């Protein structure tokens, strides 16, 4: 059974940092890209960042560029999101997700419908 477990959320003051983790299990995730989405109350789920299998292709939403860094450790089947300079508008439930792309040239997937597997979400709250 495929499972993504995302952890690391919490309450932090504006300007602070958090590191989210997403542990994958249940299958081999080679040639899967992994991404982060977030959903604030009353809003649609939005793309945050995605990384391809090799880690050579990284993409970010404009709202987080320069503040968030995505990475992955394939030996551990784990993906990370380092979030610095957090703002109150970053408050949301953060979800990790995975989709298969066959290790071809990677075109970033930014829509939730493109992803096959999802974590349960972890709450990030940034106080002002």
């Amino acid at each position: 059974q495929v499972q993504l477990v995302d952890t690391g959320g919490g309450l932090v003051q504006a300007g602070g940092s958090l590191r989210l983790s997403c542990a994958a299990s249940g299958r081999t995730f080679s040639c899967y890209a992994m991404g982060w989405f977030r959903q604030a109350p009353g809003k649609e789920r939005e793309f945050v960042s995605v990384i391809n299998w090799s880690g050579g292709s990284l993409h970010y939403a404009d709202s987080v560029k320069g503040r968030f860094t995505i990475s992955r450790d394939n030996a551990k089947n784990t993906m990370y999101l380092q979030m610095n300079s957090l703002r109150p508008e970053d408050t949301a439930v953060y979800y990790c997700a995975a989709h298969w792309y066959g290790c071809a040239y990677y075109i970033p997937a930014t829509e939730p419908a493109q992803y096959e597997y999802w974590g349960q979400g972890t709450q990030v709250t940034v106080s002002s």
Side-chain angles (χ1 to χ4, degrees):
Q1 181 179 357
V2 174
Q3 190 174 21
L4 300 182
V5 178
D6 33 32
T7 58
L11 173 63
V12 65
Q13 289 188 331
S17 298
L18 283 173
R19 188 193 195 204
L20 305 184
S21 298
C22 175
S25 62
R27 65 159 300 131
T28 300
F29 278 84
S30 60
C31 299
Y32 274 77
M34 297 186 74
W36 291 98
F37 287 75
R38 66 186 182 186
Q39 188 166 18
K43 295 189 176 182
E44 293 187 351
R45 192 167 298 191
E46 66 171 1
F47 169 76
V48 174
S49 183
V50 64
I51 184 169
N52 71 339
W53 166 249
S54 69
S57 180
L58 314 177
H59 301 275
Y60 299 92
D62 288 343
S63 59
V64 306
K65 278 180 183 176
R67 300 188 299 122
F68 291 9
T69 302
I70 192 170
S71 61
R72 66 190 292 170
D73 183 339
N74 290 334
K76 296 181 179 179
N77 263 358
T78 302
M79 174 182 62
Y80 306 96
L81 186 69
Q82 178 66 43
M83 305 187 296
N84 298 329
S85 302
L86 282 162
R87 305 167 179 169
E89 54 264 39
D90 294 318
T91 295
V93 177
Y94 283 70
Y95 298 89
C96 67
H99 80 93
W100 187 81
Y101 71 102
C103 283
Y105 175 77
Y106 186 63
I107 299 173
T110 61
E111 296 296 327
Q114 295 177 280
Y115 288 77
E116 301 157 49
Y117 302 111
W118 290 86
Q120 81 286 357
T122 184
Q123 176 71 47
V124 171
T125 303
V126 184
S127 63
S128 57

